[in-house]
Amino acid sequence: MKMILLSIAALILWLPAEAQAAAVKYEPDVVTLSGMLDLEEIKEQGLPVTIFYLKLDRPVDIEFDPKNEANRGETGIMKIQLNIKGDEIISLVKANRDMPAQAIGTLRHARTSREHTPVVMTVDRLQVQ
């Protein structure tokens, strides 16, 4: 058993940093996540809606927030829905789909049926690379 545990520990240490999940926290902490911009056009109640995403470069784990039980812990998240306010950022995402970017903002757990990933980021700033 000891040998198995040592083997697992060695494998984890050997994995490249990109393969290991980064740990981040929910709001009010501001986080920076990197990945590829994406969007999806869907219909909700017969009306067209654009959903914005960031497909992450590497998985993230989000810590459970004991102050807000709605913010459950999540592991291995690879795609986050972006809650974007402001026409300038919306235009930036639409013009740069499938481009690498950094999104800076706060995270919260999905709470409604209009949220399509377990974790949602309220974007304060977006930098296309």
Side-chain angles (χ1 to χ4, degrees), residues 19-111:
Q20 298 178 22
V24 294
K25 294 183 179 181
Y26 285 112
E27 57 193 353
D29 286 17
V30 175
V31 299
T32 301
L33 298 175
S34 298
M36 301 293 277
L37 293 173
D38 198 12
L39 60 91
E40 179 181 12
E41 303 282 345
I42 64 169
K43 289 200 183 267
E44 287 185 357
Q45 299 177 353
L47 300 173
V49 176
T50 304
I51 311 295
F52 301 101
Y53 298 103
L54 186 66
K55 293 179 181 177
L56 302 178
D57 292 335
R58 65 184 199 169
V60 294
D61 296 341
I62 299 102
E63 296 178 19
F64 169 72
D65 181 358
K67 295 177 185 169
N68 182 349
E69 291 185 12
N71 283 337
R72 299 188 301 267
E74 294 286 348
T75 58
I77 297 294
M78 288 295 300
K79 184 177 180 181
I80 291 185
Q81 183 173 338
L82 302 177
N83 181 5
I84 300 173
K85 297 197 179 350
D87 293 336
E88 184 178 318
I89 296 177
I90 290 172
S91 297
L92 187 64
V93 174
K94 286 183 175 181
N96 292 285
R97 183 178 186 177
D98 297 324
M99 296 295 293
Q102 281 190 330
I104 299 141
T106 56
L107 301 175
R108 65 175 176 76
H109 205 276
R111 299 182 185 131

